Amino acid sequence: MSLHQEIRRRVEAAVVAALGPEHAQGESLLQPSRDPRFGDFQCNAALPAAKALGSKPRDLALKIVEKLDLAGLCAAPEIAGPGFVNLRIEDRALASALMATHGDPRCGVAPRSAPQRVVVDYSSPNLAKDLHVGTFRTTVIGDSIARTLEFLGHTVLRQNHYGDWGTNFGTLVAVLKREFGPDLAALERLDLPQIEALYTQGSSLRKDDPAFARDAAEEALKLQQGEPSSRAAWRRLMDVTLANCAEIYQRLDVTMKPEHDRPESSYNADLSVVLDDLQRLGLLTTSEGAKVVFVDGFVNREGEPLPAIVQKADGGYNYTTTDLAAMRHRVRNLRADRIVIVTDRGQSLHFEMMAAVARKAGWLPESTVFTHVGYGVIQREIEEDGKKKKVRFKTRAGGTVKIRELLAEGVERCEKIALEKNAELAPSERTEIALRLTVAGLKYTDLKQRPDTDYVFDWDQMLAVQGDTGVYLLYAYVRIRSVFEKAGADAASKVLLGELRFTHPAERELALHLAKCEDVFSEYERELAATPLCRYAYDLATLFNRFYHDCPILKAEEEGVRAARLELSYLAAERLRLVLGLLGIRTVERM
RNA sequence: GCGCCGGUAGCUCAGUUGGAUAGAGCGUCUGCCUCCGGAGCAGAAGGUCGUGGGUUCGAAUCCCGCCCGGCGCACCA
């Protein structure tokens, strides 16, 4: 049990004894103090209780303190202000709690006692195209959620629910047939850039040529119906595009693998079942030629009921149908306790309606939690008529920005910086490190902000060597590793490098922060936002840098102090690596 | 029009199941390299938390109104 939890248990017992169990709940029971002068933790339970009990908060605080037994953990509690109870952890307790986690790859964070089966649906790249920034956020955010929930002990079922179906592919197949005729042998030689060019051609044809638009819709339908020549063309497109996708995932350090593929097409056979069930349940109505479900509470701009369309007037299914089939599959077959879908914020209404339909149809029981993580758009700042404007992130020509190109530019920039800062790196190592720094910069920038907000893409800010950036975090880690290298210490040591002791405030502050590692995860499971994790990592790096600056480690005057500082550095490095790993950021040994 | 999200330092953002003097980065200004990686550290200046009410011992946080911005609202996903 962590130090924080142990203290919490004792404070809870005291508050229950002094005020009753109804006053021993929530955040006010125990929280970290924001100012070191108020100790390390504080219990604020007396304040809200005073209102309910009609007594003075200070009197209640006194009662709590009388019942409080923190022997061996904290110094004598102090009552301050209107009735805060301030607690200060004893150095010995802090030191031994930390040392107990030495060598633990989990850094003392216990797995959840009631693990869940959690489906995390993310990435879902636009196939037939190279991966572009549009898929960047879902991939990075979703991957971090998957990693973190998995770390907490949940069974994570990654699902790559990419769109290999529908109008987009109908369009492509229609173009292919138009270009190459019925003989699709020529397809074998097509590479991704060529496929992309054809797709662009198809999109504009669809806008300008009604006959082609009809062909495209028809091909989409044929795919769903399994027409052989359409399917053959489709298969080829998939092979090229998936190979490309795997390569980008690998470079981006993403844990989504081919075995997590669960594309839209895999629900093909379930779509009619979805329709039949809705019919049988009496939820289905026909409106303007389409088969729809009306759910209370959703209205269109005229104030009329807004339907969820599950079968288009032309007989084709759409993404609501597929999402419903997916929902059904995830609950019935995957036995999910929780379903998380990561897409852009603009789809919120769709998922709200879809989930409402799924609830009504009984596919999504009350016991299953559904969370749509909706994220904002990546923007670029441009100047127009002398005014600064934010627009969706596109190339100057107006095209989509490819992740491949993003990585290439990042590597180029990082190599230049690395060359300035550390000329000793061999070129091949420098390139490898540049990629890691780029990925760290891209991911950290994205994750440190709450997902639902928009942000402006800015290389200089993202790869800045100072400030709250991925590079700063990796630098802190590299510094520690460098100390270890000089010390000749085993970086993966199973035995303590020294007994922790605190001879300088910077040591204790760092130690306290390290001991709070577990705390960041309680909020995480609720919000599914990595922002607090990023904050924790940044504070850790800053506190380490301060300690490093103020306290000589290898040159410490006394052997015991030297060993203690080495141990503290070890514990810091382990936690930094752990948290960065949950963000999808791999550490480097040199930079 | 309805719905969702947002408005916090010059800029970019944390903090929002109510708690002590509202935090960080960038930028600006000022210090610190005979010392383990200065890609670092320390300090200063900078705030009517959009606005007006309300609840409370206590509000950036909860409730109501209003203003501004973004997004969504029938067969694309």
Side-chain angles (χ1 to χ4, degrees):
Chain A
M1 184 178 287
S2 79
L3 199 53
H4 186 174
Q5 285 176 321
E6 179 62 30
I7 295 170
R8 188 184 176 87
R9 217 171 50 91
R10 302 219 198 166
V11 168
E12 190 176 1
V15 174
V16 168
L19 311 178
E22 65 274 26
H23 300 292
Q25 274 147 26
E27 291 287 297
S28 62
L29 187 61
L30 188 70
Q31 55 190 233
S33 303
R34 59 165 42 163
D35 190 319
R37 284 177 303 149
F38 304 139
D40 301 323
F41 288 96
Q42 58 180 293
C43 167
N44 299 347
L47 290 106
K51 196 187 297 185
L53 298 174
S55 359
K56 289 184 189 163
R58 270 195 92 97
D59 294 346
L60 298 183
L62 203 62
K63 277 179 147 175
I64 294 171
V65 168
E66 278 168 8
K67 300 280 184 189
L68 196 53
D69 172 24
L70 289 166
L73 288 175
C74 295
E78 286 174 15
I79 299 173
F84 302 108
V85 178
N86 293 335
L87 306 175
R88 188 181 158 83
I89 297 174
E90 286 188 357
D91 288 358
R92 280 196 317 277
L94 177 56
S96 59
L98 271 178
M99 287 189 294
T101 68
H102 183 103
D104 176 7
R106 305 187 57 86
C107 295
V109 180
R112 294 314 194 218
S113 54
Q116 293 184 308
R117 293 175 65 83
V118 188
V119 163
V120 184
D121 170 342
Y122 69 101
S123 196
S124 312
N126 234 315
L127 295 185
K129 284 192 211 169
D130 202 350
L131 267 64
H132 56 89
V133 282
T135 33
F136 181 77
R137 297 206 71 187
T138 167
T139 304
V140 169
I141 293 167
D143 202 49
S144 178
I145 290 173
R147 286 173 189 261
T148 308
L149 293 181
E150 208 157 52
F151 168 71
L152 291 174
H154 300 295
T155 301
V156 170
L157 305 153
R158 291 170 178 77
Q159 298 274 290
N160 203 347
H161 187 250
Y162 52 78
D164 59 346
W165 225 225
T167 316
N168 280 354
F169 272 77
T171 304
L172 250 172
V173 174
V175 175
L176 289 174
K177 287 192 171 176
R178 177 176 282 210
E179 290 293 313
F180 301 102
D183 171 26
L184 294 170
L187 275 180
E188 291 302 318
R189 289 186 298 276
L190 285 180
D191 61 13
L192 194 65
Q194 290 170 311
I195 290 173
E196 285 197 273
L198 287 168
Y199 182 77
T200 311
Q201 191 186 332
S203 313
S204 56
L205 269 175
R206 196 152 51 111
K207 270 186 217 126
D208 306 335
D209 180 352
F212 180 81
R214 273 196 302 279
D215 285 353
E218 198 179 307
E219 284 298 341
L221 203 56
K222 281 188 192 166
L223 274 174
Q224 290 175 353
Q225 290 163 351
E227 203 275 319
S229 69
S230 303
R231 286 297 272 269
W234 170 80
R235 189 63 255 166
R236 174 64 192 162
L237 293 170
M238 295 308 292
D239 291 345
V240 174
T241 215
L242 287 174
N244 176 67
C245 190
E247 182 203 331
I248 300 292
Y249 281 167
Q250 195 261 325
R251 298 203 80 200
L252 255 188
D253 222 331
V254 165
T255 57
M256 188 72 95
K257 295 290 179 303
E259 64 260 32
H260 305 125
D261 285 4
R262 238 317 184 153
E264 291 183 356
S265 62
S266 67
Y267 295 105
N268 200 34
D270 299 336
L271 301 178
S272 59
V273 179
V274 166
L275 262 290
D276 289 347
D277 279 5
L278 291 172
Q279 181 75 270
R280 197 166 39 74
L281 292 164
L283 296 172
L284 209 59
T285 32
T286 305
S287 173
E288 298 176 27
K291 296 276 176 37
V292 308
V293 179
F294 286 101
V295 191
D296 291 343
F298 297 98
V299 292
N300 68 13
R301 64 186 87 220
E302 279 78 40
E304 298 154 354
L306 182 67
I309 295 170
V310 291
Q311 188 171 26
K312 300 187 286 183
D314 68 4
Y317 301 109
N318 64 3
Y319 75 142
T320 302
T321 331
T322 313
D323 280 343
L324 285 170
M327 199 66 110
R328 185 170 162 274
H329 170 253
R330 291 164 184 182
V331 172
R332 286 164 62 117
N333 305 329
L334 302 180
R335 303 195 320 279
D337 300 306
R338 183 175 191 179
I339 295 166
V340 180
I341 298 182
V342 187
T343 74
D344 69 276
R345 210 180 39 194
Q347 298 185 53
S348 302
L349 183 61
H350 158 71
F351 284 111
E352 253 179 74
M353 292 185 73
M354 190 276 292
V357 173
R359 296 255 186 234
K360 281 183 91 166
W363 294 318
L364 183 63
E366 287 304 319
S367 57
T368 305
V369 181
F370 172 65
T371 311
H372 172 229
V373 177
Y375 54 82
V377 294
I378 305 180
Q379 301 169 313
R380 160 161 285 172
E381 197 166 69
I382 57 160
E383 237 179 270
E384 210 175 76
D385 311 323
K387 274 181 294 190
K388 282 184 178 173
K389 270 178 63 178
K390 289 171 185 170
V391 295
R392 195 174 273 266
F393 190 32
K394 293 255 169 78
T395 59
R396 251 163 298 175
T400 54
V401 179
K402 293 172 182 172
I403 293 178
R404 176 186 301 281
E405 292 162 356
L406 227 45
L407 291 173
E409 181 167 355
V411 167
E412 196 179 311
R413 284 168 177 265
C414 285
E415 283 196 290
K416 204 175 289 176
I417 297 167
L419 204 56
E420 273 172 37
K421 302 283 186 184
N422 186 356
E424 290 169 16
L425 289 175
S428 66
E429 190 183 9
R430 188 163 58 230
T431 305
E432 174 62 24
I433 288 168
L435 178 61
R436 296 279 179 86
L437 292 185
T438 300
V439 170
L442 287 165
K443 286 183 174 176
Y444 187 74
T445 303
D446 196 293
L447 293 171
K448 79 171 176 170
Q449 209 161 121
R450 306 230 56 126
D452 61 337
T453 52
D454 302 335
Y455 68 86
V456 175
F457 190 94
D458 180 353
W459 276 122
D460 293 332
Q461 201 180 307
M462 209 149 36
L463 301 178
V465 296
Q466 70 269 88
D468 184 6
T469 66
V471 175
Y472 175 86
L473 298 179
L474 291 178
Y475 180 67
Y477 185 82
V478 164
R479 275 180 135 181
I480 304 177
R481 299 315 292 245
S482 179
V483 172
F484 273 79
E485 201 178 323
K486 284 215 162 55
D490 181 2
S493 176
K494 290 275 179 267
V495 291
L496 280 177
L497 301 167
E499 287 280 319
L500 283 186
R501 56 166 122 158
F502 309 120
T503 55
H504 187 285
E507 296 170 310
R508 193 180 184 282
E509 264 188 84
L510 175 58
L512 185 63
H513 188 71
L514 298 180
K516 288 180 187 167
C517 185
E518 183 149 32
D519 299 353
V520 285
F521 297 106
S522 48
E523 181 192 351
Y524 187 89
E525 285 168 301
R526 198 176 65 243
E527 304 286 335
L528 299 181
T531 312
L533 262 62
C534 292
R535 187 73 217 170
Y536 180 83
Y538 176 73
D539 287 342
L540 170 42
T542 300
L543 288 169
F544 173 78
N545 277 330
R546 192 175 300 165
F547 155 73
Y548 180 89
H549 182 266
D550 292 347
C551 307
I553 301 166
L554 302 177
K555 296 180 180 174
E557 58 286 351
E558 195 192 317
E559 176 49 35
V561 174
R562 179 186 190 272
R565 288 178 179 169
L566 207 50
E567 174 64 21
L568 188 58
S569 304
Y570 170 85
L571 294 168
E574 290 298 284
R575 276 157 186 75
L576 191 50
R577 191 159 51 87
L578 173 73
V579 175
L580 286 173
L582 298 179
L583 301 175
I585 296 170
R586 214 187 296 185
T587 50
V588 294
E589 298 298 307
R590 276 188 297 275
M591 60 190 269

